[in-house]
Amino acid sequence: MTAVQSFDVAILGAGLAGRLSAWQLVRAGARVALIERGGPDGSGSAAHVAAAMLAPLAESAIAERRIVDLGIASVDLWRSWLQELPERVFFQEDGTLVVWHARDRAEVSLFTSRMRAVAPPELVLDRLRPLDGNGVGQVEPALAGRFTQGLLLQGEGQLDNRGALRALLACAIEHGMHCVWEAGEIDADALPALGIRAGVVLDCRGLGARAAWTDATEALPGLRGLRGEVVRVHAPDVKLQRPVRLLHPRYPIYIAPKPNDLYVIGATEIESEDESPMSVRSALELLSAAHSLHPAFGEARVLELNVQRRPTRPDHLPAIRVDQPSRVVRVNGLYRHGWLIAPAVTEAACQVVRALLDGDPAAHAVPSSLRWPGMIASVHEPASLARGGFPDAGGGLLH
């Protein structure tokens, strides 16, 4: 018979959201168990293959204002939190360089007009810096003479995703977190079979939680996976210093330089649940676009051709769902913005968990700075209420 251990919180899923939440809760004094279907390297998560760019202004060209606001808050959190980890994690805020070939200059007006329509005006004014050819060369010497114009989005950043995943886990374990690896497909009901009893369950399983997010009503939209494809290469002759985005009507790409001459190249987003290996066409498009940016990519060595599905809700926005009777909090829908927005999203989710542990899941228990509009909702309220927020003790909504 399996001996039962009691914990304050059991976290399902050790991807980015699960590790960030575990790190926050265990450091706050909670007894935490982390349960993962795979192993500790996190290779089964979308966060493991991502470029981990922290670029709220650049993302405003393709995302909603809420993502931009969450991103701004999250970059501030990353800056602070990474300093608290015992293991150093590569992190930079040297901006994003946006360039384009002369034949694609029409893409620039689309990109900038979308940015100006979505991002806070003060952010655009403060960070958007037009460059001429000389300016491109000064900002990124490896691209000198290759582009006649560009945009520098100042203050944007990136980090080492795999280093961050390792460091968060190691720090949480050091603070006493209990881990269960290779648990297979599990849900909250399966915890007793693992010998775990928890005051609150925090479900961070991504697409593994699809069944829990499936509902016929508008109040609880389901999840789907959006296929993403990313190439990792070793290119010691390229020497880029910051993330670069290449505008193109068909093959827009991003290239994120990592330590030791590694580069993460990505762009493709396919409306598909397919997890099969990357197609030849996708690989050719990504690598040809990278080669057009800098010819030295032609001599790069391909280390990985990665495919992963990102958990996505119909509105492409993150959500936190609170089942108060069963004491389960669910976080999902980080989509392609996981590294950009996860700190702010998980900070709010952890505050809800603490409120449940304290027996006071009321609006005043969650600071107003964490009440992101429409993100937190109860799943056991009428549809009209669940669309608006988490009910407080006075019958209001936690927004």
Side-chain angles (χ1 to χ4, degrees):
M1 182 176 179
T2 303
V4 176
Q5 300 182 70
S6 295
F7 299 91
D8 297 315
V9 186
I11 299 176
L12 309 182
L16 176 58
R19 294 186 192 213
L20 270 175
S21 299
W23 179 77
Q24 293 173 70
L25 290 167
V26 75
R27 290 172 75 247
R31 294 166 298 161
V32 177
L34 179 66
I35 302 96
E36 164 60 31
R37 66 179 179 180
D41 64 356
S43 58
S45 69
H48 186 262
V49 303
M53 293 187 297
L54 312 176
L57 185 55
E59 285 299 302
S60 69
I62 55 174
E64 292 193 23
R65 173 63 181 267
R66 193 180 309 172
I67 296 298
V68 179
D69 292 340
L70 285 165
I72 294 170
S74 292
V75 173
D76 289 340
L77 290 171
W78 278 125
R79 189 184 304 111
S80 172
W81 289 355
L82 289 174
Q83 293 179 359
E84 299 175 21
L85 293 174
E87 177 182 336
R88 183 180 179 275
V89 176
F90 168 74
F91 171 72
Q92 67 171 187
E93 292 181 280
D94 295 333
T96 298
L97 178 63
V98 181
V99 294
W100 55 91
H101 297 298
R103 64 182 177 274
D104 301 322
R105 58 181 175 269
E107 297 299 307
V108 183
S109 61
L110 295 174
F111 183 83
T112 56
S113 63
R114 176 65 177 167
M115 263 197 316
R116 294 181 189 281
V118 174
E122 63 275 12
L123 188 71
V124 177
L125 182 64
D126 181 55
R127 295 193 177 185
L128 179 59
R129 177 184 161 197
L131 303 172
D132 59 14
N134 289 332
V136 171
Q138 291 172 3
V139 167
E140 201 62 72
L143 300 182
R146 298 195 55 79
F147 298 93
T148 59
Q149 291 180 298
L151 300 171
L152 178 63
L153 309 183
Q154 300 177 115
E156 307 223 307
Q158 63 159 332
L159 54 78
D160 174 12
N161 58 323
R162 296 179 183 180
L165 290 173
R166 287 193 302 271
L168 287 166
L169 178 63
C171 187
I173 291 175
E174 185 178 305
H175 279 78
M177 182 177 70
H178 174 72
C179 298
V180 179
W181 305 111
E182 308 293 344
E185 299 295 340
I186 52 97
D187 58 22
D189 294 334
L191 291 178
L194 298 175
I196 292 174
R197 179 188 296 117
V200 175
V201 175
L202 179 57
D203 188 345
C204 301
R205 290 177 295 159
L207 287 172
R210 188 197 302 265
W213 287 79
T214 299
D215 193 284
T217 71
E218 182 186 356
L220 194 61
L223 292 172
R224 71 186 191 282
L226 275 183
R227 177 182 170 103
E229 300 177 336
V230 177
V231 180
R232 279 184 172 249
V233 303
H234 181 241
D237 296 328
V238 175
K239 305 301 183 187
L240 294 178
Q241 300 175 3
R242 59 183 50 74
V244 177
R245 293 182 183 241
L246 177 66
L247 301 182
H248 188 280
R250 290 185 60 197
Y251 313 127
I253 65 166
Y254 57 80
I255 300 177
K258 305 297 181 182
N260 303 315
D261 298 315
L262 296 179
Y263 292 85
V264 178
I265 306 168
T268 51
E269 182 175 289
I270 303 170
E271 188 75 43
S272 172
E273 297 279 354
D274 180 19
E275 283 190 290
S276 64
M278 186 182 299
S279 69
V280 171
R281 176 177 178 177
S282 290
L284 286 173
E285 289 174 353
L286 287 170
L287 295 173
S288 295
H291 182 263
S292 77
L293 179 86
H294 196 303
F297 276 115
E299 297 303 317
R301 296 300 183 256
V302 177
L303 304 179
E304 300 175 19
L305 297 174
N306 291 311
V307 172
Q308 188 55 266
R309 295 177 302 160
R310 283 77 64 91
T312 306
R313 299 175 60 245
D315 58 6
H316 290 179
L317 294 174
I320 299 169
R321 297 294 183 239
V322 187
D323 187 332
Q324 295 185 53
S326 63
R327 301 178 67 79
V328 176
V329 179
R330 306 186 191 278
V331 180
N332 224 310
L334 295 184
Y335 181 39
R336 59 175 287 158
H337 311 297
W339 286 96
L340 175 62
I341 66 174
V345 174
T346 57
E347 186 183 37
C350 288
Q351 192 64 48
V352 173
V353 169
R354 294 188 190 104
L356 287 173
L357 288 173
D358 293 341
D360 187 18
H364 61 77
V366 179
S368 59
S369 61
L370 305 184
R371 301 176 199 171
W372 299 98
M375 191 170 73
I376 305 173
S378 170
V379 299
H380 276 308
E381 296 295 333
S384 60
L385 179 58
R387 281 196 295 272
F390 186 33
D392 69 18
L397 297 179
L398 192 162
H399 286 289

